């Protein structure tokens, strides 16, 4: 049986955060029952002949599902075949977790929780549209520990409106005290179609200056590394041996299967994207039609580009032998001038058969990665 990483998309949220452009919707709970029934059908069709290497239930807010649906879905997923000790993550919003939901999550075999916090500052939490306070977060985090979860990720953000460097430092120091195994730190990006985008267009969003944001990035690295977290990807840090297996599948361009609306798959050399509409998804599954919006067979050139710019997100970078094994070509035959030039500019480094971004290269990562487009 084919081994694969599985992503499951839950498109419901209690409320939309002001910065979020993910495919998730508030106020659509009326569709939850039909959606979960359809999702289970898609899982039945696509997963019964697979062995799952890792499972990631994301969204949206999987923990916003009502208890019946949460149990139905997790119980179904728990009946699939897994490799031994497979990582099984569920994303949880602390404003939607309860003791009984945590019990269901634990009993159904999930072994990793990813909690969105973003900041420890209650004023900022309100300003960015989060539905929880830091106190609610801590209560749920501690409860998850009591339930025996030994692998927890906390998501935080920097570059938030009205966030000072010291606010951000407080967040970093606050979460370190909780000793999570994994921390993701992303900078706020203003995405079109979000309330923050409109506010920024109207000039009423007070974002930190570029220099301050750069300092926040540096602070993340300094404080987390001094406290036993190693950076293994541009925005991700973990305790030794606790890197997120599932995310590494994406960065290494390995195959994965996505189920649910808006999910993507990379399988047998094709990139597949499911449709976004929840109602259409339900209708199509019920009438036995396909649910694809896009199926694109990557060319060898596109595969190489993706391999380069996703691989360079990892701190260890690209292994030259991996490139050769995958594409039957020496990396220098394809990218000699780009690699040499960026090494000369101090943005890339080559060591022990690996090519990776330097600190300066990470700062200018978008530029460096764009250079690898053929
Ligand atoms: S909870 Fe997550 S998915 Fe939902 S709106 Fe907020 S950031 Fe987006």
């Amino acid at each position: 049986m084919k081994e694969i990483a599985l992503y499951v998309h839950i498109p419901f949220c209690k409320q939309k955060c002001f910065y979020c452009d993910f495919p998730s919707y508030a106020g659509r709970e009326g569709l939850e029952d039909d959606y979960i029934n359809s999702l289970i059908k898609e899982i039945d069709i696509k997963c019964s002949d697979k062995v799952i290497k890792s499972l990631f239930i994301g969204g949206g807010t999987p923990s916003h599902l009502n208890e019946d649906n949460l149990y139905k879905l997790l119980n179904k997923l728990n009946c699939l075949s897994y490799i031994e000790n497979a990582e099984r993550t569920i994303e949880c919003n602390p404003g939607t977790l309860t003791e009984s939901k945590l019990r269901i999550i634990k009993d159904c075999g999930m072994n990793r929780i990813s909690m969105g916090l973003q900041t420890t500052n209650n004023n900022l939490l309100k300003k960015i549209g989060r539905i929880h306070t830091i106190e609610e977060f801590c209560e749920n985090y501690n409860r998850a520990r009591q339930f025996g979860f030994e692998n927890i990720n906390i998501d935080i953000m920097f570059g938030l409106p009205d966030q000072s460097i010291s606010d951000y430092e407080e967040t970093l120091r606050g979460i370190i005290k909780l000793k999570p195994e994994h921390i993701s730190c992303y900078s706020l990006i203003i995405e079109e179609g979000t309330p923050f985008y409109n506010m920024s267009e109207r000039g009423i969003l007070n974002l930190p200056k570029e220099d301050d944001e750069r300092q926040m990035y540096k602070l993340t690295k300094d404080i987390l590394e001094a406290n036993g977290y190693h950076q293994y990807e541009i925005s991700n840090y973990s305790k030794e041996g606790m890197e997120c297996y599932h995310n590494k599948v994406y960065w290494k361009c390995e195959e994965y299967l996505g189920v649910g609306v808006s999910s993507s798959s990379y399988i047998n050399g094709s990139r597949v994207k499911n449709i976004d509409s929840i109602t259409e998804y339900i209708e199509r599954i019920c009438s036995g039609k396909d649910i694809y919006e896009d199926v694109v067979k990557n060319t060898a050139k596109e595969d190489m580009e993706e391999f380069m710019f996703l691989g360079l997100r990892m701190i260890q970078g690209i292994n030259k032998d991996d490139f050769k094994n995958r594409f039957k070509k020496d990396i220098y035959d394809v990218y000699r001038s780009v690699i040499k030039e960026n090494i000369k500019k101090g943005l890339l480094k080559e060591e022990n058969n690996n090519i990776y971004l330097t600190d300066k290269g990470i700062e200018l990562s978008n530029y460096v990665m764009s250079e690898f487009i053929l």
Side-chain angles (χ1 to χ4, degrees):
M1 287 211 285
K2 192 179 180 86
E3 288 189 0
I4 199 141
L6 175 65
Y7 173 77
V8 180
H9 190 74
I10 304 299
F12 306 108
C13 284
K14 195 167 171 182
Q15 174 184 297
K16 274 303 267 187
C17 304
F18 302 153
Y19 54 85
C20 179
D21 76 333
F22 294 156
S24 68
Y25 313 89
R28 308 294 301 276
E29 289 81 358
L31 295 171
E32 214 185 280
D33 291 355
D34 287 343
Y35 181 73
I36 293 301
N37 288 335
S38 305
L39 186 57
I40 286 175
K41 277 191 195 153
E42 194 190 358
I43 293 168
D44 268 334
I45 295 165
K46 295 186 178 163
C47 302
S48 44
D49 60 345
K50 311 266 188 318
V51 175
I52 312 301
K53 294 197 293 184
S54 61
L55 166 66
F56 196 103
I57 310 173
T61 309
S63 56
H64 184 46
L65 290 176
N66 66 44
E67 285 172 23
D68 288 347
N69 283 325
L70 185 67
Y71 175 74
K72 218 165 158 185
L73 174 66
L74 295 191
N75 187 43
K76 174 84 228 172
L77 291 166
N78 199 21
C79 294
L80 302 176
S81 307
Y82 291 86
I83 60 163
E84 216 183 312
N85 298 322
E87 177 188 279
R88 301 198 216 176
T89 306
I90 181 164
E91 283 187 329
C92 295
N93 180 315
T96 59
L97 259 184
T98 58
E99 216 169 304
S100 34
K101 285 186 185 178
L102 272 169
R103 167 61 58 213
I104 293 169
I105 292 170
K106 184 72 184 162
D107 287 351
C108 290
M110 302 304 291
N111 53 26
R112 185 171 184 268
I113 288 195
S114 177
M115 287 176 98
L117 169 63
Q118 317 315 348
T119 166
T120 54
N121 180 313
N122 277 337
N123 285 333
L124 284 178
L125 281 171
K126 223 182 197 166
K127 244 179 220 172
I128 63 174
R130 299 290 297 181
I131 54 168
H132 56 85
T133 60
I134 177 63
E135 290 76 20
E136 282 165 324
F137 172 85
C138 288
E139 194 184 319
N140 277 306
Y141 180 91
N142 292 329
R143 202 182 271 156
R145 286 296 196 211
Q146 282 157 18
F147 272 80
F149 285 96
E150 292 173 349
N151 190 357
I152 302 185
N153 167 61
I154 301 180
D155 283 338
I156 57 169
M157 287 175 104
F158 60 92
L160 300 175
D162 298 318
Q163 186 180 42
S164 65
I165 294 175
S166 63
D167 282 335
Y168 181 59
E169 183 166 352
E170 222 169 274
T171 292
L172 284 169
R173 299 211 181 272
I175 57 165
I176 282 166
K177 284 196 198 129
L178 295 168
K179 300 190 171 67
E181 284 67 33
H182 191 282
I183 301 173
S184 296
C185 314
Y186 287 91
S187 69
L188 173 72
I189 311 273
I190 304 297
E191 305 281 3
E192 225 175 311
T194 61
F196 273 0
Y197 182 84
N198 297 337
M199 287 168 76
S200 131
E201 288 289 284
R202 284 161 54 211
I204 54 168
L205 199 64
N206 178 31
L207 294 171
K209 297 193 176 54
E210 234 175 77
D211 255 5
D212 286 358
E213 214 179 292
R214 213 167 292 139
Q215 223 174 306
M216 290 182 193
Y217 177 82
K218 199 171 170 305
L219 206 60
T220 313
K221 204 169 144 66
D222 292 347
I223 294 182
L224 294 188
E225 285 186 350
N227 283 278
Y229 293 90
H230 79 282
Q231 186 184 24
Y232 70 100
E233 192 265 353
I234 294 181
S235 307
N236 285 279
Y237 296 78
S238 81
K239 287 269 170 73
E240 200 56 46
M242 304 307 281
E243 298 174 356
C244 177
Y245 179 96
H246 189 86
N247 279 342
K248 280 173 40 179
V249 165
Y250 299 141
W251 301 320
K252 288 183 184 168
C253 284
E254 290 174 8
E255 290 190 313
Y256 55 88
L257 172 66
V259 290
V261 280
S262 310
S263 66
S264 301
S265 307
Y266 177 52
I267 203 161
N268 301 327
S270 291
R271 298 243 167 233
V272 181
K273 159 90 179 35
N274 282 3
I275 52 170
D276 289 321
S277 157
I278 304 176
T279 46
E280 205 181 327
Y281 173 84
I282 295 168
E283 273 166 32
R284 288 213 209 173
I285 291 269
C286 286
S287 52
K289 292 186 193 142
D290 81 59
I291 33 113
Y292 308 132
E293 179 182 283
D294 235 357
V295 180
V296 182
K297 188 98 189 152
N298 267 9
T299 62
K301 210 174 86 178
E302 285 162 340
D303 267 338
M304 281 182 208
E305 291 169 352
E306 279 173 14
F307 185 82
M308 291 309 292
F309 58 70
L310 287 169
L312 283 173
R313 292 197 61 87
M314 292 181 289
I315 299 304
Q316 67 178 37
I318 308 277
N319 182 280
K320 291 196 292 182
D321 291 339
D322 287 350
F323 187 97
K324 194 164 198 168
N325 290 337
R326 197 176 174 119
F327 302 111
K328 312 290 171 244
K329 269 187 184 175
D330 191 290
I331 196 166
Y332 274 105
D333 290 343
V334 186
Y335 285 117
R336 180 177 306 277
S337 59
V338 181
I339 293 172
K340 290 280 174 215
E341 259 170 51
N342 281 287
I343 288 179
K344 218 195 274 167
K345 288 181 195 157
L347 301 174
L348 283 180
K349 205 167 172 183
E350 187 178 338
E351 210 174 61
N352 301 332
N353 226 21
N354 277 25
I355 296 168
Y356 57 90
L357 292 168
T358 60
D359 286 348
K360 193 173 154 204
I362 289 178
E363 260 181 46
L364 300 171
S365 58
N366 286 344
Y367 161 76
V368 184
M369 286 165 188
S370 69
E371 293 266 279
F372 283 91
I373 293 176
L374 289 164

